[in-house]
Amino acid sequence: DAGVTQSPTHLIKTRGQQVTLRCSPKSGHDTVSWYQQALGQGPQFIFQYYEEEERQRGNFPDRFSGHQFPNYSSELNVNALLLGDSALYLCASSITWGVTDTQYFGPGTRLTVL
Amino acid sequence: QQQVKQSPQSLIVQKGGIPIINCAYENTAFDYFPWYQQFPGKGPALLIAIRPDVSEKKEGRFTISFNKSAKQFSLHIMDSQPGDSATYFCAASTGNQFYFGTGTSLTVIP
C-alpha cells in the first residue's frame, strides 16, 4: 500500500514564475490538505480539498490555489512566486467521516525561489 | 497567532534519558492531539495521538500525557536512543484542520 506521494521532489523557480505541485493521497483517503513548512518552523495550513472542492483555507493569499481530481489526487498552484515562497510544501491525506482524524504526510516538495 | 505553543525549542539528552516536550493550546474545540516526528528532508510521520477523554496514552517508548483542565499535553520518550534524534511537532485539530507547534529539535547523545 503506497503512502502519500508527491512530485517533484525538488524545484527551482525564479521570482514571478508559476509552479504546480502534485500529490497522490494514501489509498482509501478522500481528503487532501496542503501545508507550507518554512525552514525551522512547523507546517502552516494552506487549504484542504474534499469532493473536489476547497473546504477550508488558512491565511494564504489568492496566489495559492489548488485542485482535486475525481481520483482524489490534488495539485497546488502558486502564481507570481516571491522569494518568501521558498519552503517545503507538504501534502497530507486523511479520511473525512473516518474513525480517526489522522493525517498522513508525504515527503514534501522543496521549492526554492531565486 | 500561534494556536499551539510548543517548548522547548531544542533539547539534548544522553542515551537512555527521558526527554519531555510540552505543548499548550487555547481553543477548547480541539479534539485530537497528535505528535509527529520529522527527519531532515522528510515529511512528518505520525508517532502517537490522543483524544481529550483520556489522560495518558502509551505506544512503545512514547507516552502522551494530557491535562484537559490546564489545556496542556506532553510527549515523553522512554529510554531514548540516538535514532530518536529528530524534530518533534505537536499538533491540535478540530475537524480536519491541523495546527502545529513550532517544533522541538531533539538530540540524543550516545
Side-chain angles (χ1 to χ4, degrees):
Chain A
D1 175 27
V4 180
T5 60
Q6 293 186 241
S7 64
T9 305
H10 296 89
L11 206 49
I12 299 175
K13 293 286 188 179
T14 56
R15 281 179 297 174
Q17 285 189 311
Q18 178 264 344
V19 68
T20 297
L21 311 181
R22 295 176 176 81
C23 171
S24 291
K26 189 175 169 65
S27 178
H29 286 194
D30 57 9
T31 303
V32 173
S33 303
W34 286 93
Y35 293 83
Q36 180 194 66
Q37 186 177 23
L39 203 59
Q41 299 296 316
Q44 297 292 316
F45 176 74
I46 301 174
F47 44 52
Q48 183 181 85
Y49 276 83
Y50 171 66
E51 293 188 334
E52 303 178 48
E53 298 280 339
E54 182 184 293
R55 179 162 67 175
Q56 288 176 299
R57 189 179 184 91
N59 189 25
F60 279 80
D62 292 344
R63 297 187 297 109
F64 290 78
S65 63
H67 188 77
Q68 186 179 34
F69 299 93
N71 67 352
Y72 307 119
S73 67
S74 178
E75 289 182 348
L76 165 65
N77 301 293
V78 187
N79 294 322
L81 284 167
L82 303 174
L83 295 178
D85 294 332
S86 295
L88 180 68
Y89 287 85
L90 296 163
C91 167
S93 74
S94 56
I95 303 173
T96 294
W97 313 117
V99 175
T100 174
D101 296 339
T102 301
Q103 291 193 351
Y104 294 87
F105 283 84
T109 294
R110 172 70 63 186
L111 172 65
T112 302
V113 181
L114 302 177
Chain B
Q1 181 186 3
Q2 191 70 33
Q3 295 267 1
V4 179
K5 296 182 180 179
Q6 183 172 347
S7 64
Q9 185 176 0
S10 62
L11 196 51
I12 301 174
V13 299
Q14 295 279 353
K15 177 183 174 181
I18 305 176
I20 301 173
I21 305 170
N22 301 298
C23 285
Y25 64 97
E26 286 299 323
N27 188 347
T28 55
F30 289 144
D31 60 2
Y32 181 69
F33 302 88
W35 283 90
Y36 285 85
Q37 179 190 58
Q38 186 175 29
F39 292 102
K42 305 293 185 183
L46 179 68
L47 268 180
I48 186 173
I50 197 168
R51 294 201 181 273
D53 53 346
V54 299
S55 60
E56 185 176 278
K57 183 175 181 180
K58 292 183 181 180
E59 286 187 3
R61 295 185 295 108
F62 301 95
T63 299
I64 298 179
S65 297
F66 189 86
N67 186 330
K68 187 174 181 178
S69 60
K71 292 184 284 187
Q72 295 176 347
F73 58 110
S74 60
L75 176 70
H76 301 231
I77 304 176
M78 307 302 175
D79 187 27
S80 58
Q81 302 296 313
D84 296 330
S85 297
T87 299
Y88 293 80
F89 292 96
C90 62
S93 78
T94 171
N96 272 301
Q97 184 164 352
F98 281 52
Y99 298 89
F100 283 80
T102 50
T104 296
S105 176
L106 172 65
T107 302
V108 181
I109 300 171

